[in-house]
Amino acid sequence: MESIGVLLMCPMYSYLEQELQSRFNLFKLWQQPPSKIPEFLKSNQRTIKAVVSNARVGADAQLIDSLPNLEIVASFSVGFDKIDLKRCEEKGIRVTNTPDVLTDDVADLGIALILAVLRKICPCDGFVRSGKWKDGDFGLSTKQFSSKPVGIVGLGRIGSAIAKRAQAFGCSISYHSRTQKPLKHYKYYDNIVDLAKNCSILVVACSLTDETRHIVNREVIDALGPRGILINVGRGAHVDEPELVSALLEGRLAGAGLDVYEDEPEVPDPLLRLDNVLLLPHVGSDTVETCNSMADLVLANLEAHFNSRPLPTPVI
Ligand SMILES: O=CC(=O)O
């Protein structure tokens, strides 16, 4: 395996980097000055047979075309929206991701965002730290989570895990997805606007495709309304961000909890000044336990591919 070239697209979890370094001939793309990248790819194109990407930096058509010996793109993420799947398919390049192992963590974080927004956990923490508590109480302005109607966009692995957790809080669950699931206890809406009209908390947990880009637009935000909150643990591009910002500024939406943004790590400036918004730096699956499992899956996929064994978690 030491002779197989693996191209790591950006800095990743150190355990993964170390393991890749010890098993393969590892190239770190970000260590190249941007102007030297084409030359670097050209001089190593014979050796590089695998690309390791993640949710932030994938593999576009240009990169794929510049690596004629590329056999596999293994992503350290469940989402593969940054990988040009069509080009991979055309060229017979395999693609793998890291599903299942991160489901619980992302779902936990979704619930944490709901609780933090409704109960104003961060402003409360700031209130204590600033010493303002000594001058008077925080003031009664927080909202209850238990028993609120929760709407979920995308009832896949992560959406289902969020639903299960929200049910334990006594919430009624409804959802919108491409197809209705045979689930008696969850109400299905074939239209996301109707889902938003009928819930207080809308959680985005679907994968990003051409169909789901900007699925949360002005109409959906207005249907959720001035008492509703939006939680996004999917991808920033699911939400029309300027529309979200104006709805929050104009009081047409009560609050938002966001782990993802359209142009990460850029976050729209007005959001930074709103205290009904909780902003996280895309950390849904970032626990040590889960990142170890994700790294092991990336390694297992690469090892399987180069030993001609079935891939543990193939996308294509
Ligand atoms: O966003 C994180 C992932 O796709 O794993």
Side-chain angles (χ1 to χ4, degrees):
M1 296 280 167
E2 288 87 2
S3 63
I4 295 171
V6 173
L7 179 66
L8 192 58
M9 297 300 291
C10 60
M12 283 180 213
Y13 182 37
S14 54
Y15 162 69
L16 176 61
E17 278 190 42
Q18 281 155 20
E19 286 300 311
L20 288 169
Q21 187 94 57
S22 69
R23 299 178 199 203
F24 298 97
N25 180 9
L26 189 64
F27 297 91
K28 298 181 176 180
L29 190 63
W30 71 96
Q31 291 183 345
Q32 302 302 315
S35 63
K36 295 269 162 57
I37 287 181
E39 195 185 312
F40 162 82
L41 291 174
K42 202 158 183 215
S43 45
N44 295 295
Q45 61 176 203
R46 273 159 45 97
T47 321
I48 296 173
K49 294 193 169 155
V51 162
V52 175
S53 60
N54 66 8
R56 196 163 64 79
V57 188
D60 60 14
Q62 197 186 355
L63 179 93
I64 294 164
D65 290 346
S66 64
L67 297 171
N69 289 339
L70 184 62
E71 295 179 16
I72 180 167
V73 178
S75 195
F76 181 67
S77 66
V78 66
F80 40 83
D81 46 282
K82 292 261 165 64
I83 302 172
D84 193 324
L85 278 194
K86 196 163 158 273
R87 189 64 119 240
C88 289
E89 216 155 17
E90 281 162 12
K91 297 198 153 193
I93 295 165
R94 306 298 309 271
V95 175
T96 65
N97 65 342
T98 58
D100 299 315
V101 293
L102 47 64
T103 300
D104 284 339
D105 277 350
V106 181
D108 290 352
L109 198 80
I111 298 295
L113 280 169
I114 298 173
L115 282 166
V117 172
L118 290 173
R119 302 300 301 269
K120 298 196 175 170
I121 287 176
C122 294
C124 278
D125 176 82
F127 183 75
V128 174
R129 287 170 196 265
S130 69
K132 286 187 187 151
W133 194 13
K134 295 191 176 66
D135 305 327
D137 286 344
F138 182 72
L140 189 58
S141 59
T142 73
K143 293 278 173 14
Q144 186 176 50
F145 174 37
S146 290
S147 81
K148 285 256 157 55
V150 172
I152 299 180
V153 185
L155 204 68
R157 300 179 187 90
I158 293 171
S160 303
I162 293 169
K164 193 169 134 199
R165 284 158 175 73
Q167 251 191 322
F169 282 84
C171 300
S172 60
I173 309 293
S174 48
Y175 70 101
H176 166 72
S177 60
R178 264 172 314 176
T179 51
Q180 183 166 9
K181 322 267 173 199
L183 297 165
K184 280 203 305 281
H185 303 299
Y186 299 164
K187 186 166 170 46
Y188 175 67
Y189 288 96
D190 61 7
N191 177 326
I192 185 175
V193 176
D194 290 338
L195 174 72
K197 261 186 208 149
N198 287 286
C199 68
S200 307
I201 301 159
L202 187 69
V203 185
V204 181
C206 54
S207 49
L208 182 64
T209 62
D210 289 343
E211 291 75 46
T212 62
R213 191 172 297 275
H214 285 192
I215 190 170
V216 178
N217 56 19
R218 187 181 177 108
E219 197 187 354
V220 174
I221 292 170
D222 285 343
L224 191 54
R227 297 196 327 184
I229 70 162
L230 178 74
I231 302 296
N232 192 359
V233 291
R235 287 287 185 262
H238 283 128
V239 178
D240 184 331
E241 215 162 62
E243 285 295 349
L244 173 65
V245 171
S246 43
L248 287 162
L249 288 172
E250 292 160 19
R252 287 185 286 111
L253 189 67
L258 309 172
D259 186 37
V260 287
Y261 310 87
E262 279 209 84
D263 185 23
E264 295 174 10
E266 299 300 323
V267 175
D269 215 43
L271 292 183
L272 306 177
R273 290 187 289 277
L274 290 173
D275 76 354
N276 53 346
V277 176
L278 188 73
L279 306 169
L280 299 183
H282 199 152
V283 289
S285 56
D286 286 7
T287 65
V288 173
E289 294 88 339
T290 288
C291 285
N292 283 336
S293 305
M294 289 167 68
D296 286 339
L297 252 186
V298 170
L299 296 163
N301 276 300
L302 292 174
E303 298 268 350
H305 175 76
F306 290 113
N307 286 300
S308 306
R309 292 195 311 263
L311 301 178
T313 50
V315 175
I316 54 171

